[in-house]
Each structure stands twice: as structure tokens, then as C-alpha cells.
Amino acid sequence: ILPIQSGIATHFPSSNMSGKGNFKVCVCGGAGGIGQPLCMLMAKNPHVGELCVFDLTLAMVPAEGVAADLSHLETKVKVKGYALDKDDKPVEKLGECLTGCDL
């Protein structure tokens, strides 16, 4: 299903079609220069109910800080930050972050 909104095609996974505020989104690299504005757009999207901001601990800005800033927006989205050390194995550390993600 590809509904057109403002000239942009958007894909809504068929497993989660029940409407606003039901999608879980993870932004990998969410503390970076492109990731931060993308996180803000996702946090303001009425279809997103849960937003995970993920980045490495060596990022200039901590992912938890970006998540804390976004949690102050007047939206109903639940925001949580996740950081991974460069030597950590994602499969061992990011289960909660990535489980159930729609995007």
C-alpha cells in the first residue's frame, strides 16, 4: 500500500495498519547531523508511537541526550535513546531497540 501524502509516497506495513500512533521507528545514527532532524520529524509524525534513537558512544552528541530533548516536544510519542560502544555486538545489545520496529 502506497498512499500519497503531499506528493510523497509512504509505505505503511500491512502488519500495523490500525492508524495513528502505532508505529515503532528506530533511527540508526540518530545523534548525527542528519539523524537528529530525522528523529525530530519522526517524533512529530502522528503515525509514530515509539521512537528509538540509536548511535555509537563515540558520537559527538549522546543518543540519550537527543532522546531527552525530543521527549520535551508536545507529542504522544515515547522516545528512548540507545548507545553502543564500537566494540559491542549489536545482536547482543540492541534487542529491545530493534524488536518490533516497523521502520
Side-chain angles (χ1 to χ4, degrees):
I1 297 173
L2 292 171
I4 302 297
Q5 296 179 342
S6 305
I8 299 172
T10 309
H11 177 262
F12 295 108
S14 59
S15 64
N16 201 354
M17 296 278 299
S18 58
K20 294 184 176 185
N22 292 321
F23 291 94
K24 180 177 179 181
V25 175
C26 177
V27 178
C28 298
I34 295 171
Q36 286 184 42
L38 179 59
C39 285
M40 186 172 70
L41 289 171
M42 291 292 100
K44 295 180 76 65
N45 187 313
H47 297 287
V48 177
E50 187 175 348
L51 176 63
C52 300
V53 181
F54 159 69
D55 214 323
L56 297 175
T57 55
L58 56 91
M60 297 282 292
V61 177
E64 293 87 351
V66 174
D69 289 345
L70 293 172
S71 69
H72 297 297
L73 294 174
E74 293 203 23
T75 63
K76 294 182 180 181
V77 68
K78 176 185 166 193
V79 185
K80 188 167 181 185
Y82 297 86
L84 196 67
D85 190 59
K86 66 180 183 79
D87 296 325
D88 290 339
K89 292 184 179 183
V91 71
E92 296 173 358
K93 302 280 184 166
L94 295 177
E96 178 186 351
C97 177
L98 298 174
T99 299
C101 281
D102 296 295
L103 179 62

